[in-house]
Amino acid sequence: MAFVTKKDRSKERFSLLLLDLEEHYFEQHTAYNLTNRGPEANRRTSGSLKICSKSVIFEPDDAVKPILKIPLKDCKGIAAVEETTHNPFIESKPACILIETKQTYLIKEENVVAPYKYERGEKKVTFQLEVHEKTEDVVQMLLQLHRASCLDKQGDQTAMVAAILQSRLARTCFDKNSFQHVTETPHMECVAEMVSPLVTNAGHVCITDCNLYFQPMNGYPDSVVQIGLHSVRRIYKRRHGLRPLGLEVFCTENDLCSDIYLKFYSTKERDELYYYIATFLENHIVECTAESYMLQWQRGHISNYQYLLHLNNLADRSVNDLSQYPVFPWVISDYSSTQLDLLNPASFRDLSKPIGALSTERLERLLERYRDMPEPRFMYGSHYSSPGYVLFYLVRVAPEHMLCLQNGRFDHADRMFNSVGETWKNCLEGGTDFKELIPEFYGSDSSFLRNLLGLNLGRRQGGSRVENVELPPWASDQDDFLEKMRLALESQYVSEHLHEWIDLIFGYKQRGSEAVAAHNVFHPLTYEGGVDCDSIEDPDQKIAMLTQILEFGQTPRQLFVTPHPQRITPRFHNLSATPSLSSSELSPASPSLESFEDLTEESKKMAWSNMNKLALQSCHKLHKEAVTGITMTLSGDSIFSTSQDSTLKMFSKENGLQRSVSFSNMALSSCLMLPDDKIVVCSSWDNNVYFYSIAYGRRQDTLMGHDDAVSDICWRDDKLYTASWDSTVKIWKCVADDISNNKRTKFDLLAEFEHEAGVNTLDLSLAGTLLATGTKEGTLTLWDIANPLPLNQLTCHSGKIHQVAFSPDSRHVLSVGEDSCLTVTDVQTGMLIATVHAELEQRCFCWDGNTVLSGGMSGDLSVWDLLSSKVIHKIPAAHSGAVTCMWTNEQCSSIITGGVDKQIILWKPEY
């Protein structure tokens, strides 16, 4: 109900909702309605005369008297009349406006919102303006509008009214006396229309270096609307009437309703205003994409409700446009039980299917009709979101909107929103009812479920009056109903399945063969790009097409073209559901491996929450060239580093440099420690991998397995993974115990993964089942270890990829490259879900899935918050030159960096 409660104008009787759809309000005059009936005192009613493009509206000052609306198309004559007298000593009476009409509407009699009353039959209505001199101008204006309303073709009527509107706008301009400050500098001025549900209001837009202004042509509802540019937080381009003419401005981060929605007459003017505000506020507005919101949602940083609001916003859904109102899913299927069990999957709707496919029997009938239908075929004759459906739910708080939409009438009482359970049942079984819900069902304002205005919405067939909405037995009252709906939306089941519904509404199952397979095909006119209205030359046909589209409803803009990843949901442990565990097994006196893992997780969280308090422990210049790799023993006693100077260095915190080893005269590229702390493995540009025994102080073994430099290595479960510039990654059998015990090792080649360019980096998922590789040409590939074919492959960088790494939960892969970008890829779908542009190229990093510590070309260390795409802390010039490698222990309590300055630096987060 955001558009209802945004501005309280409950004391005003007149509103633009009294106009017909697509009608314009031009001007108003203080006037009197003159009659010859009744007592003398009642023959002259003061009020306001509104001149509109299709009607004349008179609003009496006396709120008890009805508002009078006279459709111009029903008028037989409009004239200025003046009573004259033959007596030269008696002054003539002022001129009046006489309207002869066949029909009048009486609205809000006794100031009650109710269906309009009609008075049919020929009638003369007389008005007298308080400013008599304007009478002739008003009459001429009415005659011109009357001629437009009497044209045979709807297209001609619309064109003539548009010409009158543009002529009037051209004769006026923005009144600069409305500026907040005399020093403001105007940047741009143009004409536009302010959009609110079902109505638009024409006027002048002016933007300065401080404010955005809109000045309605008619001065309604305010003489000027002003928005400070410094207060703007979000701005979106919109489709309006299927054309790219809309612009919506928000001064809050999460409010459902915007501060202004403007429709321009040209896309060029809309875009100029958009880019001016965006440029002016580049430091104030956070650019948020569907992918960045997806990442926040997946990580649990925003709720299901917030995520759906963001997706609706990005998909052109606005509370100011009822044909594109935000759409939310039905999630509960149980509306008959006395208790709602949110732990029972049977309580929920199948989110993988559209509403029309939930009933197998109904779906079969629809598919039978679909198969026999000529092209273009569609499965559903109505949409899941339309202006009628929105107001079906909101009629109790937005009755005037319903009257506006339905020509002054409410719907039949039995077709009203009478019961939540009945509505759900009809959506399951009805032949033409496939509607979803709106955000209000998951909000906190329950007034739309109550008849607080005391509206007379009629009587049902049983004789009962339509009052409050009947709730399910499990809801004690309206507020309790909404609370349980919110709990259901945020429940474990919905969190695990919401991505399936997103695929249908905003994603890859919205269109094409996937939509057909998912039984998700609607009328072609509902889809963006389904019809090009500008190519339709016949005005009548164009208007009919637009009217049909806007009333039928529109499918959201498609945001995703690949499967949407699932949310990462916490594991809820229910002890009553695990009877196999004995009390002794659960006793704190016998800690399990999980308890130690929990301690490790806690230490990681603590470390990452303090990553912006990184303290330098010590610096050590060990090499003659850039450092390329770092590793440390589990005990933390010894640090090993490799360099382009071809050496492996062993360093002790207590005793300093202890060993220096060279295997060849070519650079070493990386190193790792085998789990028993006895062997260091080094990769080299001489195409080999070397195994160094710490105990014996010598090279233990050599793996000669590539035709070009070995660029990166990793080890897991007695398997060694080697990446090379020869465009391959190879998996070798590499038993750590055999090497540590000085046994002759046979390195069996287990698998080989071919690439189209040299491989620069690789990483293995925590479970050891997935592999991520990055090439010199910027291609990231995700592999299933059991299958040499790539799972997903995408070019996510425009140059060499320096490093790739899985998130701790293996749901995402982060990569950094020569193009100065940090990119996050979803493992499940292969979708690029976030791209962060750094000022300078980043060479290496470590991350916890949300926060990134990276080293850049300038030697800076940067702490990034991926959700906001911002650097939250920076250590400038940590190295005097590029940071080339980074290592952290499992608890993330120790961090070591290496750089082209030949140094290794030890860091520690301060708690």
Side-chain angles (χ1 to χ4, degrees), residues 670-743:
S670 66
C671 61
L672 62 82
M673 181 74 63
L674 291 185
D676 55 7
D677 274 1
K678 295 179 181 179
I679 300 291
V680 180
V681 187
C682 305
S683 58
S684 173
W685 284 8
D686 68 0
N687 312 351
N688 297 329
V689 178
Y690 297 100
F691 297 81
Y692 176 77
S693 170
I694 300 173
Y696 293 101
R698 60 178 171 81
R699 182 176 64 187
Q700 182 75 23
D701 217 328
T702 303
L703 169 61
M704 296 178 285
H706 286 278
D707 300 322
D708 205 338
V710 182
S711 53
D712 202 3
I713 53 176
C714 61
W715 183 94
R716 186 77 50 79
D717 298 331
D718 291 332
K719 295 185 182 72
L720 181 69
Y721 300 77
T722 59
S724 171
W725 293 350
D726 66 6
S727 305
T728 66
V729 169
K730 296 181 179 180
I731 306 178
W732 310 86
K733 183 179 181 182
C734 177
V735 181
D737 287 344
D738 289 350
I739 298 173
S740 300
N741 295 327
N742 203 21
K743 291 182 180 179

Side-chain angles (χ1 to χ4, degrees), residues 87-104:
N87 189 335
F89 300 101
I90 301 177
E91 186 178 351
S92 298
K93 293 183 178 180
C96 298
I97 302 171
L98 178 65
I99 300 177
E100 298 179 65
T101 181
K102 297 181 291 185
Q103 181 172 242
T104 57

Side-chain angles (χ1 to χ4, degrees), residues 553-568:
Q554 297 177 62
T555 299
R557 170 176 290 169
Q558 190 174 25
L559 300 178
F560 307 104
V561 293
T562 56
H564 192 289
Q566 189 177 18
R567 192 176 197 185
I568 302 168

Side-chain angles (χ1 to χ4, degrees), residues 361-375:
E361 184 179 340
R362 178 178 64 176
L363 179 61
E364 278 304 315
R365 296 197 304 268
L366 293 169
L367 289 177
E368 186 177 348
R369 186 191 67 178
Y370 172 76
R371 296 184 193 103
D372 296 336
M373 188 181 294
E375 294 291 348

Side-chain angles (χ1 to χ4, degrees), residues 46 67 70 80 164 171 236 257 278 283 288 448 505 530 535 588 668 681 703 733 751 784 790 842 845 911:
S46 63
I67 294 173
I70 305 172
I164 294 170
R171 293 197 304 270
Y236 297 96
C257 193
N283 296 324
C288 288
F448 77 102
I505 306 301
S535 67
L668 298 178
V681 187
L703 169 61
K733 183 179 181 182
D784 183 346
Q842 303 298 298
F845 67 87
Y911 301 160

Side-chain angles (χ1 to χ4, degrees), residues 125 208 496 524 637 770 866 881:
V125 185
T208 71
E496 290 177 349
D637 295 334
L770 299 173
L866 282 182

Side-chain angles (χ1 to χ4, degrees), residues 21-22 54 154-155 158 198 241-242 323 386-388 405 407 525-526 531 533 536 539-554:
L21 295 176
E22 303 297 320
K54 297 180 183 179
Q154 183 68 38
T158 302
L198 299 180
L242 298 185
S323 68
S386 70
L405 185 68
N407 298 316
L525 291 180
T526 67
V531 62
C533 288
I536 302 174
D540 290 331
Q541 187 180 350
K542 180 184 289 188
I543 290 171
M545 185 75 71
L546 275 171
T547 302
Q548 181 181 354
I549 292 168
L550 297 179
E551 291 183 358
F552 190 88
Q554 297 177 62

